[in-house]
Amino acid sequence: MRVAFRIAAVVALQASLLFVGVSARAGDPGAPSPLTRVGTSDKICQLIGDVDWESGKPTQARTYTKHGLDAADLGYPVDLGKKLVLLFGDSWPPGHPVGTPADLPPDDSVGITTRRDAPTEKDCLELKINDTGTSPEHFAPATIVHTPAIEQGFFNVPSGGVGVAGDLYAFFWTNHCVMPTHLAPSASDPLSLPAPTKKCPETSAQNSLGIGVMAHSSDDGRTFTDVVTMPSGFVYATAMNSAAHADLPADQRLGVFIFAAARYRASVPYLAYAPAGSLDNTSKWRFFTGRDSSGHPKWVTLAAWNGGHSHPWTPPGDAEVFTPDSDAQRCIGEFSVTWNKPLRMWLMLFQCPGGVQGRVAAAPWGPWSEPFTLLSLADKVECHLIMSPKGCGTQRNYWPGKTSGGTVTPGGFYAPYVLNRYTADAGSTYDSHETTIYWTLSTWNPYVVSIMRTTLQTTWSATPWPHIRPTIPPGEGPAPRPTVR
């Protein structure tokens, strides 16, 4: 995906060392406590390519031999019930010359699985890639059919998706420069552009901010139609369908919740919901502008949200779904938001300085907890998940020639997306409750997507709604950890 990600990856790796072990603060009033990671976050398998980068063994999917897909990132999961669709980003080989403009042919691959059992090292996801069915094989990129054309080349990628009544809707980030200027946080003017450069003209057609569009597919992500331009500030978007979760509280079963960052890796997400049957009609969406004194969400219409498109545009009210401690927490780019059934909490995963982090909340509008860490450099990831600046012996260098000062281009990680169909209850004690999640992790060098597994713990006092709490016989100490079903 990211030609421009290389420098950001190095900065993120260096910054992550500074944040490891920093204790969380109180967060918004009424927010749950951050979760605690139990043990380590473990790599289960590598999804993309023919050879596992760390072990040198064949991958289960062997996507290059079978489907012509050598490398990719992202892989946002969209559960359609019978199928799980994964929307990957810029994929190799792209089918067009490296370094060419973003408006050249699309290069984002799509994977499909019907697997219901949790991934394992041997079986992984049993992933199939949409391909051309020709010899030699080449992956069939997700293609938006629209006039004028929607840019889908380098650095123009799917940001998320959602299933509605078995149909696939995807959100695409487009009109984005191949070599953008780094965006700084700008809460009061979130759509402002940096000064033009030779590499990025900062025009409406090509800029460092980009725009978001939504489109619909009825052929498992091969083609997308019915393009909808996203509302102001909904640039890097994803969504969650409340109808897919029968155990959600009644006041949260509002339709499809749409989350989006206005400034890639420099924002706190905004939130809207589309009532049932209206996802493709933004005039019916309602937009979050903060909580009242009782903690209930406040919503406004599209017209009120856009505010007449005045410049500079600022969303009405308190639109950010959590209150950052500083601009350093306005760092959301790739992210996922899912309903964790075992904990009865909403879980947001994202990458910020400090590594892969999460927040939890009792409702999509918060209040959200302070962040907690799932993965960082302290987990000894070099030559296990990512390339060391000193190299990793014979392990493949995905960016040869991209060196500085004689060092190898180091790796970085990003795009943590929960594969929610595999989320499991990990049991409970008298004091705490646990869940095990499986999530995708993109790495820059190697340029692949892997499946990770993490167990997270919350205390009973932080759990928003009651579970069946284990009982302890008098004088026998802590309860065992039965699985709560």
Side-chain angles (χ1 to χ4, degrees):
M1 173 184 175
R2 315 284 195 251
V3 176
F5 180 81
R6 179 167 61 92
I7 296 175
V10 175
V11 172
L13 285 170
Q14 294 171 340
S16 67
L17 292 175
L18 302 177
F19 282 76
V20 174
V22 175
S23 60
R25 287 178 283 238
D28 290 341
S33 300
L35 302 185
T36 301
R37 190 184 76 180
V38 179
T40 59
S41 289
D42 301 318
K43 173 187 168 185
I44 301 301
C45 55
Q46 180 180 307
L47 272 179
I48 297 298
D50 276 6
V51 178
D52 183 275
W53 180 77
E54 179 187 12
S55 70
K57 297 178 181 179
T59 62
Q60 181 268 324
R62 298 181 65 215
T63 62
Y64 187 53
T65 295
K66 295 181 179 179
H67 310 288
L69 177 60
D70 180 32
D73 68 353
L74 305 184
Y76 192 93
V78 184
D79 204 320
L80 302 182
K82 294 182 179 180
K83 300 176 181 179
L84 181 67
V85 178
L86 276 73
L87 304 171
F88 295 101
D90 294 332
S91 303
W92 295 0
H96 53 78
V98 174
T100 48
D103 58 354
L104 285 185
D107 59 12
D108 306 319
S109 54
V110 177
I112 308 287
T113 183
T114 58
R115 182 178 175 87
R116 282 288 177 181
D117 294 332
T120 66
E121 180 181 359
K122 178 182 178 181
D123 296 325
C124 205
L125 280 189
E126 302 171 2
L127 189 69
K128 308 294 183 184
I129 303 297
N130 288 347
D131 58 34
T132 57
T134 59
S135 183
E137 269 304 354
H138 192 277
F139 66 85
T143 302
I144 303 174
V145 180
H146 188 262
T147 302
I150 303 296
E151 294 183 357
Q152 289 186 269
F154 293 123
F155 226 150
N156 289 265
V157 296
S159 61
V162 66
V164 179
D167 288 341
L168 170 62
Y169 290 83
F171 302 91
F172 294 89
W173 190 32
T174 186
N175 288 22
H176 190 266
C177 283
V178 176
M179 296 296 288
T181 297
H182 173 74
L183 295 174
S186 181
S188 62
D189 189 8
L191 302 185
S192 63
L193 297 175
T197 66
K198 291 182 180 180
K199 295 180 179 179
C200 188
E202 307 299 348
T203 64
S204 60
Q206 285 281 304
N207 58 66
S208 298
L209 191 72
I211 65 169
V213 299
M214 180 180 64
H216 169 254
S217 175
S218 58
D219 58 4
D220 294 335
R222 290 179 177 270
T223 56
F224 288 84
T225 58
D226 308 316
V227 172
V228 175
T229 301
M230 296 291 282
S232 298
F234 280 66
V235 177
Y236 204 94
T238 189
M240 180 273 199
N241 187 1
S242 67
H245 300 277
D247 59 322
L248 273 176
D251 64 344
Q252 297 180 30
R253 299 178 61 80
L254 300 179
V256 176
F257 290 105
I258 307 98
F259 297 82
R263 303 176 71 78
Y264 176 68
R265 297 188 180 174
S267 290
V268 168
Y270 301 139
L271 169 65
Y273 75 88
S278 67
L279 182 59
D280 57 356
N281 185 354
T282 58
S283 68
K284 294 186 178 181
W285 292 14
R286 294 298 178 263
F287 298 82
F288 174 72
T289 59
R291 297 183 300 274
D292 63 22
S293 58
S294 299
H296 299 122
K298 295 183 287 186
W299 307 99
V300 299
T301 64
L302 176 65
W305 176 262
N306 285 334
H309 294 283
S310 58
H311 183 79
W313 175 81
T314 302
D318 297 317
E320 294 178 330
V321 295
F322 60 79
T323 304
D325 289 330
S326 68
D327 272 351
Q329 289 188 349
R330 287 191 171 93
C331 51
I332 306 296
E334 301 94 344
F335 70 109
S336 71
V337 181
T338 51
W339 170 249
N340 188 283
K341 182 177 180 179
L343 298 187
R344 296 186 63 79
M345 288 184 173
W346 290 74
L347 172 64
M348 181 187 299
L349 291 194
F350 51 90
Q351 164 73 31
C352 279
V356 174
Q357 299 179 352
R359 291 177 184 258
V360 288
W365 47 83
W368 289 85
S369 74
E370 281 293 312
F372 50 90
T373 299
L374 284 78
L375 186 69
S376 75
L377 276 187
D379 293 301
K380 299 179 180 180
V381 293
E382 289 186 347
C383 299
H384 168 50
L385 289 173
I386 60 173
M387 179 69 80
S388 165
K390 298 178 181 179
C392 292
T394 60
Q395 290 172 242
R396 177 181 175 184
N397 180 7
Y398 280 68
W399 301 104
K402 293 180 178 293
T403 60
S404 175
T407 64
V408 178
T409 300
F413 37 76
Y414 57 105
Y417 303 140
V418 174
L419 300 159
N420 212 28
R421 65 164 52 190
Y422 307 120
T423 294
D425 194 317
S428 57
T429 69
Y430 187 75
D431 297 316
S432 65
H433 196 86
E434 296 177 5
T435 183
T436 297
I437 61 171
Y438 293 81
W439 47 284
T440 60
L441 178 72
S442 293
T443 49
W444 180 242
N445 193 5
Y447 188 53
V448 298
V449 180
S450 296
I451 302 295
M452 304 292 292
R453 179 180 60 204
T454 305
T455 295
L456 298 169
Q457 180 186 84
T458 183
T459 61
W460 284 107
S461 60
T463 304
W465 295 283
H467 294 263
I468 303 173
R469 188 169 184 169
T471 59
I472 301 178
E476 293 190 10
R481 294 170 57 178
T483 299
V484 178
R485 299 295 184 190

